Amino acid sequence: ALHCIMAEAPLPPGLEGAQDWARDYAAANPSEAFELLFGRPSPETLPALVIPQLLSPEEVKQCFSAGSEVGSSIEPFATSSWLCAALRATPHDIGYSGEHVALYLHKGGYLQTKQPALCDKLLHSMRRQPGNWGDPALALQVRCIELHTYAVGGGLLEPGHRDNGSKLSMSVLLSDAATTGLEGGQIVTWSGGEPVVHELRRGDALLFHSGKAHNVATVTSGMRQSLVIELWVGPTNTKDRES
């Protein structure tokens, strides 16, 4: 079964601005006009896909082990004092807010070379799902593989947030709500201006077109960790998000 709650579910915390944007966008950009202009469906009309239990508990542990090994080589940020107390000891390459950081597991090709079976499974899963996921013959490479950590108060709340420059994105939930006390932090996409709330369990993945707006609701309890992969038509990236 797909763990997905449609628009009649209450709007998760922190997404009021994103919902206003989604409604305005849907009203101003009819899907028929987009398809007529560009000759293809708008990413906003293509549904995201939940892949239940893509990763086993052992594979989730491999993701955390990769994060520990990559993180051990990172010098603590001199400015880490601006992070919330729960994240100050969390290795990261970038901080999006005081409650949200990310670590690059693609740096130096780490995950591809150190965990090749895991990496191949993830990449294969992104290209071999039923539905409209673009031209399967189009060569896509890794733009980024990131370990995201959200503390209480963290979220991805930016109205109209998209993974611009990428083709396909996938987010795998690594946190187990039963053991970490995670509440909030749901991934939300939008359909006709209304929220589609994806209630994932540990090991579940959400695949979506990178041009589709998406958000992460505010975490209200516990810690949320996820593995995020983006594929693009550029060369395989082994540095930051842009190189």
Side-chain angles (χ1 to χ4, degrees):
L2 302 184
H3 312 291
C4 174
I5 298 179
M6 295 300 289
E8 60 267 27
L11 185 70
L15 296 182
E16 292 78 11
Q19 182 171 51
D20 289 343
W21 174 91
R23 288 173 171 171
D24 290 345
Y25 181 89
N29 296 274
S31 58
E32 298 82 1
F34 185 101
E35 189 159 0
L36 183 64
L37 182 62
F38 294 101
R40 56 184 172 83
S42 165
E44 293 299 341
T45 66
L46 297 172
L49 176 70
V50 175
I51 309 173
Q53 296 300 282
L54 175 63
L55 295 187
S56 68
E58 183 58 36
E59 289 167 330
V60 169
K61 289 179 182 178
Q62 291 177 27
C63 295
F64 284 129
S65 295
S68 296
E69 187 164 339
V70 172
S72 67
S73 65
I74 292 182
E75 293 292 330
F77 275 23
T79 57
S80 61
S81 60
W82 67 275
L83 294 174
C84 69
L87 292 184
R88 286 178 193 163
T90 301
H92 59 281
D93 288 290
I94 186 169
Y96 291 99
S97 73
E99 299 79 26
H100 175 201
V101 298
L103 180 69
Y104 297 145
L105 300 187
H106 62 279
K107 190 166 50 179
Y110 175 84
L111 199 70
Q112 297 96 314
T113 56
K114 298 294 187 180
Q115 300 278 7
L118 174 63
C119 192
D120 286 350
K121 178 178 181 177
L122 291 164
L123 300 182
H124 180 84
S125 296
M126 295 179 73
R127 299 304 308 272
R128 297 294 184 268
Q129 297 301 323
N132 185 349
W133 300 104
D135 182 359
L138 178 66
L140 297 180
Q141 285 71 234
V142 170
R143 180 189 188 181
C144 63
I145 305 174
E146 302 170 341
L147 177 62
H148 285 253
T149 303
Y150 299 80
V152 171
L156 180 57
L157 310 178
E158 174 192 359
H161 174 83
R162 298 182 173 102
D163 297 335
N164 294 321
S166 298
K167 289 292 187 181
L168 292 178
S169 300
M170 186 168 72
S171 179
V172 186
L173 184 64
L174 303 179
S175 298
D176 180 12
T179 57
T180 64
L182 172 64
E183 295 180 6
Q186 303 95 328
I187 299 183
V188 177
T189 55
W190 305 91
S191 177
E194 297 304 316
V196 181
V197 184
H198 305 277
E199 298 279 3
L200 304 182
R201 300 174 300 177
R202 181 183 63 175
D204 289 352
L206 185 72
L207 177 66
F208 53 94
H209 288 268
S210 303
K212 186 177 181 66
H214 57 281
N215 297 96
V216 175
T218 303
V219 172
T220 56
S221 178
M223 190 86 74
R224 180 187 189 274
Q225 291 186 286
S226 61
L227 187 73
V228 174
I229 305 173
E230 295 178 28
L231 303 181
W232 66 354
V233 296
T236 298
N237 179 25
T238 58
K239 297 181 180 178
D240 52 26
R241 283 185 55 82
E242 307 302 334
S243 301

